[in-house]
């Protein structure tokens, strides 16, 4: 592959690395594959390479865990992701498969085809694992081929050509092809020149186009946008406003070129660089001394067979996924009284991520990304930064993914797992008993949790996903946003130049508008509370009135239970003035007091999509029309926006499935929860956003007979020999 123009930049990579070097080192390089058997072949090289980091040597970088060799790994659990050897085997089966003999297709995705749920649930450690199968989505002659391949027999078991709308997840090769096509388009030179630049001064990215009707059908298209990379690694802050190229990815041609912004200045580079340099001016604040958590006896969790995590009362399977990023499966909690392992959730993962921008201009209207199905949350997850992304006591896990040629590559250190102690109490009470002569009672228990984390960098934006497990049975799921805004160039450099300030949108820097947008992350939560058959119960808090005469009160709240019989009953829009709890209970498992064992989903800060339901982006993302949905379990219904999301029309969404209105009472059900953010940018988001986070929880309700950590041991001074308060603070 010849790369002559340094204008070509991949949207997934921020760092200033000469492109040629990137291609030579990258696992995406077709010349670079794992079959050579070298120890670390296929490992995504750390960026920037050490030899290029900087002129004056920075302080020693935090050590990443040493490379791991995955070449001889074997699957030990039915849910383990495909191994390097298995990926090679799938590739070789497909290369001798009749329909692909003459032309090997582009492998858009390859992942484990998980065995049937009943097989997995019936499997115990030590049993032989069920036959391994791969699910492949391949693209050949514009058609999406869906194949399942049995690795034991070496046969293609099913082969179907998709007839619905939408294309498979994009590969890095697709992205490179689109950007290359665009940067070699002759008219681009004039657009660059009109702004005093040459094409070599640009960085271009290739966002997905959404879908807006027949003109865009029958071909895979990407939009290409360009930025000035002069004098900054943060080219996102320097758009060539009004310049949009629409590229046919397969034909490799620019089908539409539009430049309406030649009069709009490129925002300056001042203060856009976000990299640490030892000479940087420190912020005007007192320095914080180094801080870390101590674990004098080491971590308390174990990871066996690569993916099985055990910690305190929890056990779960944790795996990287090219599309979903991070998947937790078979989540089981040990009953603190009986010691019994009790099922909570079969599988949980972010199913889709929808990001619509709120600007109708030519260069902006199409921005309505679906990052999981279009680019892949795992595919865009770069190695976590030790000591900064994850604490010192973290354990790291690699992803084994597949490139377009069907070869495996390693996404190193993309998940971290660590115990967190944030100085909080898990429960407490103190009391001064006046009646018994001022006796003092003080009890508190330190709260330690376990966090599994990954971070996707989908172009400009960074999404960190945390699954946090508490010993009281609660699971907290957090999504944190950081990274770069998508800014829009403007002639204005001060709000006082505009009459109607609301028309323009927030100015975040001179000549740069932070365009308002939303983020929605829809989670697939296959709850199995004490077994697969569960019931969704909405516990509505209603106001009781007209109690005159009986009490001095005029109103009070009363919980009213509504059992959801069908999917219609389980489509929930959150409202502060119609409060409810949302329980998933097992109607055949009663507590000693006759309450069904359950878990509830506890919403936190959230936002709803206000787009018109017939707006094309909202049609495709109709899974955000409600914050909660419940569907009967169906192994084909995993991706809320549909299996093939890129340029889809919205014919295979959670909303479409839910409209079948199937029975959901006392069945194996899946709960879907959407976490949303409205983002009205402000100056603090420039040049890189401080992290913004929102969470929701899965919390036991009548699952345990009483507080499950009642008898937990407090922490005593002798447990922590290293750090003493008197040494770490100079209190006078
Ligand atoms: C991968 O590497 C092997 C051994 O070096 C080579 O034979 C094979 O052709 C390569 N495959 C590709 C697709 O480059
Ligand atoms: C554009 O890039 C060329 C080559 O790297 C460089 O010489 C030139 O100064 C750049 N132009 C601007 C305006 O920065
Ligand atoms: C596939 O798309 C290419 C490029 O758009 C086109 O040339 C070709 O005719 C298409 N093939 C089929 C089978 O539709
Ligand atoms: C399972 O899901 C697929 C895809 O939505 C659908 O075609 C099929 O009818 C569903 N099966 C059942 C039993 O609902
Ligand atoms: C779950 O419910 C389904 C449908 O009602 C039933 O066929 C099945 O036997 C139940 N499974 C268990 C484990 O109770
Ligand atoms: Cu945002």
């Amino acid at each position: 592959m010849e790369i002559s123009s340094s204008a070509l930049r991949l949207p997934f990579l921020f760092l200033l690395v000469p492109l040629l070097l990137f291609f030579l080192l990258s696992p995406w390089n077709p010349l670079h594959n794992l079959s050579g058997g070298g120890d670390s072949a296929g490992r995504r090289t750390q960026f920037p390479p050490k030899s290029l980091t900087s002129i004056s040597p920075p302080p020693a970088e935090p050590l990443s865990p040493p490379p791991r060799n995955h070449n001889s790994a074997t699957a030990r659990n039915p849910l383990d992701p495909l191994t390097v050897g298995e990926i090679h085997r799938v590739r070789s089966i497909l290369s001798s498969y009749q329909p692909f003999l003459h032309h090997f297709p582009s492998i858009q995705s390859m992942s484990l085809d998980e065995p049937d749920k009943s097989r997995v649930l019936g499997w115990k450690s030590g049993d032989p694992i069920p036959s391994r199968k791969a699910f492949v989505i391949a693209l050949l002659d514009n058609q999406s081929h869906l194949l399942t391949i049995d690795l034991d027999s070496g046969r293609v078991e099913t082969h179907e050509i998709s007839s619905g709308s939408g294309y498979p997840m994009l590969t890095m090769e697709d992205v490179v092809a689109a950007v290359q096509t665009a940067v070699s388009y002759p008219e681009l030179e004039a657009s660059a020149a009109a702004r005093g630049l040459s094409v070599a001064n640009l960085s271009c990215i290739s966002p997905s186009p959404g879908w807006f009707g027949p003109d865009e059908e029958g071909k895979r298209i990407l939009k290409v946008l360009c930025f000035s990379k002069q004098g900054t690694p943060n080219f996102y802050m320097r758009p060539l406003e009004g310049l949009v190229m629409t590229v046919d990815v397969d034909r490799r041609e620019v089908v539409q070129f539009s430049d309406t912004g030649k009069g709009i200045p490129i925002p300056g580079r001042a203060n856009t660089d976000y990299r640490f340099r030892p000479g940087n001016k420190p912020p005007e604040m007192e320095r914080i001394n180094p801080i870390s958590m101590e674990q004098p006896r080491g971590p308390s969790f174990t990871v066996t067979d690569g993916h099985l995590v055990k910690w305190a009362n929890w056990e779960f399977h944790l795996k990287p996924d090219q599309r979903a990023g991070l998947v937790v499966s078979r989540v089981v909690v040990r009953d603190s009284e009986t010691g019994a392992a009790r099922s909570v959730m079969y599988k949980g993962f972010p199913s889709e991520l929808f990001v619509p921008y709120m600007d109708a201009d030519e260069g902006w209207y199409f921005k309505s990304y679906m990052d999981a199905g279009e680019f892949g949350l795992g595919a865009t997850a770069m190695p976590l930064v030790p000591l900064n992304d994850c604490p010192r006591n973290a354990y790291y896990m690699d992803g084994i993914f597949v490139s377009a040629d069907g070869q495996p590559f390693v996404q190193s250190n993309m998940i971290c797992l660590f115990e967190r102690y944030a100085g909080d109490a898990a429960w407490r009470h103190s009391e001064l008993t006046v009646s018994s002569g001022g006796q003092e009672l003080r009890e508190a228990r330190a709260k330690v949790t376990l966090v599994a984390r990954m971070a996707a960098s989908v172009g400009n934006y960074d999404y960190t996903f945390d699954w946090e497990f508490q010993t009281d049975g609660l699971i907290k799921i957090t999504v944190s946003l950081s990274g770069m805004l998508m800014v829009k160039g403007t002639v204005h450099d001060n709000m006082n130049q505009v009459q109607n300030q609301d028309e323009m949108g927030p100015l975040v820097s001179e000549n740069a508008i932070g365009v308002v947008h939303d983020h929605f992350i829809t989670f697939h939560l296959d709850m199995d509370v004490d077994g697969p058959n569960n019931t969704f119960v909405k516990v509505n808090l209603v106001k009781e009135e007209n109690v005159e005469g009986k009490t001095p009160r005029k109103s009070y709240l009363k919980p009213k239970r509504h059992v959801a019989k069908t999917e219609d009953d389980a489509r929930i829009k959150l409202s502060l003035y119609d409060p409810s709890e949302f329980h998933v209970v097992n109607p055949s498992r009663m507590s000693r007091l006759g309450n069904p064992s359950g878990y509830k989903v506890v919403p936190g800060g959230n936002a709803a999509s206000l787009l018109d339901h017939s707006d094309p982006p909202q049609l495709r993302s109709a899974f955000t029309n409600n914050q909660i949905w419940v569907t009967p379990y169906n192994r084909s219904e995993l991706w809320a926006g549909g299996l093939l999301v890129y340029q889809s029309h919205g014919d295979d969404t959670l909303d479409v499935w839910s409209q079948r209105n199937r029975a959901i009472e006392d069945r194996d059900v899946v709960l879907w929860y959407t976490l949303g953010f409205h983002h009205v940018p402000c100056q603090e988001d420039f040049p890189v956003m401080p992290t913004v986070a929102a969470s929701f929880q899965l919390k036991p309700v009548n699952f345990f007979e009483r507080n499950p950590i009642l008898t937990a041991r407090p922490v005593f001074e002798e447990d922590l020999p290293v750090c003493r308060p008197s040494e770490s603070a100079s209190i006078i």
Side-chain angles (χ1 to χ4, degrees), residues 116-407:
D116 279 335
K117 188 167 169 178
S118 57
R119 293 285 317 265
V120 176
L121 290 174
W123 183 87
K124 294 181 307 301
S125 175
D127 291 352
I129 60 171
S131 67
R132 299 278 288 171
K133 293 182 189 182
F135 178 58
V136 172
I137 306 181
L139 199 68
L140 187 65
D141 297 332
N142 317 332
Q143 291 183 311
S144 304
H145 295 251
L146 316 177
L147 306 110
T148 51
I149 292 127
D150 186 305
L151 283 148
D152 295 344
S153 68
R155 284 224 305 275
V156 173
E157 279 198 338
T158 64
H159 180 178
E160 182 195 331
I161 293 174
S162 167
S163 54
S165 71
Y167 291 108
M169 203 159 78
L170 289 148
T171 64
M172 188 58 94
E173 283 75 359
D174 292 329
V175 167
V176 169
V179 174
Q180 260 187 325
T181 303
V183 298
S184 43
Y185 190 65
E187 281 184 53
L188 182 60
E189 196 63 61
S191 284
R195 295 165 172 93
L197 297 171
S198 73
V199 173
N201 307 119
L202 307 181
S203 275
C204 301
I205 61 166
S206 58
S208 53
W211 167 73
F212 295 89
D215 286 356
E216 299 176 348
E217 285 167 22
K219 53 180 179 285
R220 296 193 308 148
I221 57 172
L222 283 172
K223 300 281 183 177
V224 176
L225 310 175
C226 295
F227 303 80
S228 167
K229 66 173 184 192
Q230 290 314 116
T232 180
N234 193 355
F235 60 85
Y236 287 110
M237 297 303 120
R238 310 201 64 199
L240 272 64
E241 193 50 51
L243 172 69
V244 195
M245 291 169 277
T246 307
V247 176
D248 181 324
V249 180
D250 295 301
R251 272 187 217 268
R252 307 205 168 190
E253 67 185 34
V254 173
V255 293
Q256 201 192 336
F257 181 93
S258 160
D259 185 359
T260 54
K262 292 200 177 87
I264 301 173
I266 296 176
R269 69 185 171 88
N271 300 315
T272 56
D273 194 347
Y274 50 88
R275 292 171 300 178
F276 174 74
R277 287 288 170 270
N280 282 0
K281 180 178 173 290
E284 299 289 342
M285 65 169 83
E286 296 299 323
R287 193 184 161 142
I288 299 168
N289 288 329
I291 189 164
S292 178
M293 197 192 83
E294 51 180 323
Q295 291 193 295
R297 290 181 220 162
S300 306
F301 63 85
T302 58
V303 182
T304 42
D305 294 340
H307 299 97
L308 197 63
V309 180
K310 289 187 187 162
W311 174 78
N313 45 347
W314 288 104
E315 184 178 318
F316 58 94
H317 186 273
L318 173 66
K319 67 173 161 186
D321 184 86
Q322 202 157 350
R323 180 164 179 171
L326 181 163
V327 178
V328 296
S329 305
R330 297 210 64 182
V331 180
V332 165
V333 67
R334 210 160 280 284
D335 192 303
S336 55
E337 297 188 29
T338 64
R342 297 172 62 188
S343 159
V344 175
M345 182 166 65
Y346 182 70
K347 191 170 175 180
F349 59 94
S351 173
E352 195 48 84
L353 201 171
F354 171 47
V355 191
Y357 280 75
M358 306 299 164
D359 189 314
D361 277 6
E362 175 67 18
W364 284 85
Y365 77 90
F366 60 87
K367 291 178 183 168
S368 52
Y369 310 135
M370 289 164 80
D371 287 333
E374 289 175 340
F375 293 101
L377 301 177
T380 56
M382 288 173 61
L384 293 156
V385 183
L387 303 188
N388 294 282
D389 268 334
C390 310
R392 171 170 243 153
N393 54 325
Y395 167 91
Y396 292 86
M397 193 183 278
D398 297 341
I400 308 294
F401 297 154
V402 183
S403 54
D405 61 1
Q407 301 282 358

Side-chain angles (χ1 to χ4, degrees), residues 546-690:
N546 301 321
V547 287
E548 259 162 71
K550 287 200 228 142
T551 162
R553 287 283 293 273
K554 289 195 163 33
S555 61
Y556 60 96
L557 296 188
K558 207 174 201 172
K560 288 240 159 69
R561 296 166 54 86
H562 300 277
V563 169
K565 307 250 181 235
T566 66
E567 291 174 287
D568 280 351
D569 305 329
R571 283 187 223 112
I572 310 287
K573 291 183 168 60
L574 299 175
S575 162
L576 285 179
Y577 286 93
D578 179 20
S580 294
E581 289 201 348
F582 309 102
H583 296 197
V584 175
V585 303
N586 187 323
S588 17
R589 167 88 183 221
M590 295 293 165
S591 71
R592 75 175 198 287
L593 303 179
N595 291 309
S597 161
Y599 259 73
K600 63 180 174 183
V601 58
V602 186
N606 210 337
S609 181
L610 303 181
L611 296 180
D612 197 290
H613 281 194
S614 61
D615 197 355
Q618 193 62 33
L619 276 177
R620 303 175 64 227
S621 302
F623 53 88
T624 60
N625 291 350
N626 299 294
Q627 285 73 55
I628 295 174
W629 315 65
V630 179
T631 57
Y633 173 82
N634 176 333
R635 58 171 284 145
S636 312
E637 294 177 352
L638 290 173
W639 308 108
L643 178 64
L644 307 179
V645 162
Y646 167 46
Q647 289 182 252
S648 63
H649 307 176
D651 45 16
D652 183 27
T653 65
L654 169 57
D655 182 55
V656 172
W657 314 332
S658 169
Q659 299 305 336
R660 293 188 197 131
N661 199 22
R662 295 161 290 187
I664 53 170
E665 190 183 359
D666 200 8
R667 299 279 160 117
D668 190 357
V669 291
V670 176
L671 177 79
W672 305 79
Y673 183 78
T674 298
L675 193 60
F677 302 77
H678 294 303
H679 189 171
V680 181
C682 57
Q683 283 181 243
E684 288 83 354
D685 294 343
F686 178 92
V688 54
M689 279 172 59

Side-chain angles (χ1 to χ4, degrees), residues 480-594:
S480 310
L481 317 184
S482 189
M484 312 303 159
L485 292 173
M486 269 288 170
V487 301
K488 181 177 186 183
T490 169
V491 295
H492 302 297
D493 58 14
N494 194 296
M495 292 302 281
N496 66 16
Q497 296 160 354
V498 268
Q499 286 280 309
N500 188 347
Q501 302 197 339
D502 290 341
E503 276 300 299
M504 187 173 78
L507 209 53
V508 296
S509 180
E510 285 75 9
N511 307 109
I513 297 166
V515 175
V516 176
H517 57 276
D518 290 338
H519 304 263
F520 299 102
I521 302 97
T522 296
F523 284 86
H524 172 112
L525 304 161
D526 180 357
M527 304 301 290
D528 276 14
V529 179
D530 278 319
N533 284 0
N534 289 170
T535 294
F536 180 69
V537 183
K538 180 171 149 184
V539 183
N540 199 202
L541 287 169
V542 289
K543 184 164 72 171
E544 295 281 318
E545 284 173 303
N546 301 321
V547 287
E548 259 162 71
K550 287 200 228 142
T551 162
R553 287 283 293 273
K554 289 195 163 33
S555 61
Y556 60 96
L557 296 188
K558 207 174 201 172
K560 288 240 159 69
R561 296 166 54 86
H562 300 277
V563 169
K565 307 250 181 235
T566 66
E567 291 174 287
D568 280 351
D569 305 329
R571 283 187 223 112
I572 310 287
K573 291 183 168 60
L574 299 175
S575 162
L576 285 179
Y577 286 93
D578 179 20
S580 294
E581 289 201 348
F582 309 102
H583 296 197
V584 175
V585 303
N586 187 323
S588 17
R589 167 88 183 221
M590 295 293 165
S591 71
R592 75 175 198 287
L593 303 179

